[in-house]
Amino acid sequence: MPNIKIFSGSSHQDLSQKITDRLGLELGKVVTKKFSNQETCVNCLTPCACRVTSIADRLNVDFALIHKERKKANEVDRMVLVGDVKDRVAILVDDMADTCGTICHAADKLLSAGATKVYAILTHGIFSGPAISRINHACFEAVVVTNTIPQEDKMKHCPKIQVIDISMILAEAIRRTHNGESVSYLFSHVPL
């Protein structure tokens, strides 16, 4: 089976091994760590550079990457900016922000590389520990998050946080799943 890679988390290694054995494949190499919020961090050696390109193409913009390396969970060892942000508005896109050390460090990296403004767009804003203080003291114009986690209290202490309601897209995904319709349609069409 060419072009297939299988990676596993830590919950059921035996099952993962049996699956790859049946397919005649080797289980991909994975490093797992725990963050301060007890979320498991799984590092697979797979590029995400395709996801970034897809987002940039849809928005008709150029992109740069910030490659981060961690020695342990909740601690970034080093960051490398790949691409040009000089005299541009930079938008950091990430799936989650917990203590916000990484995104604040990334924002500083972008400003020092010549970005004129920095925004962050995050799926899940956990904002634990020093997160709110870090955002308030960081160079962000705004930090935009979805309402997957209640943010009203955090917004009272941090005027930079803005929330996007995603209930309509989740409701439409549920409706489409229930009716046997295409959910991938939502990747290119936003429900009203």
Side-chain angles (χ1 to χ4, degrees), residues 71-172:
K71 281 192 175 176
K72 60 183 182 177
N74 289 94
E75 190 177 303
V76 174
D77 182 44
R78 102 185 170 123
M79 283 188 174
V80 178
L81 174 64
V82 180
D84 181 22
V85 296
K86 186 170 174 50
D87 299 324
R88 298 179 185 209
V89 173
I91 302 171
L92 285 167
V93 179
D94 208 345
D95 61 340
M96 178 183 61
D98 185 5
T99 61
C100 295
T102 300
I103 65 165
C104 290
H105 187 156
D108 289 341
K109 180 73 97 179
L110 291 167
L111 268 189
S112 67
T116 57
K117 294 181 181 179
V118 180
Y119 294 84
I121 299 177
L122 312 165
T123 305
H124 307 291
I126 295 172
F127 303 142
S128 70
I132 297 302
S133 175
R134 285 177 173 168
I135 293 171
N136 279 330
H137 292 97
C139 61
F140 293 111
E141 297 291 318
V143 175
V144 181
V145 298
T146 67
N147 62 340
T148 57
I149 296 172
Q151 298 295 345
E152 291 76 18
D153 188 51
K154 303 288 177 28
M155 292 171 67
K156 289 177 188 174
H157 297 96
C158 184
K160 293 180 182 181
I161 296 175
Q162 298 177 13
V163 178
I164 295 174
D165 180 15
I166 62 165
S167 61
M168 63 186 159
I169 199 159
L170 295 177
E172 183 63 11

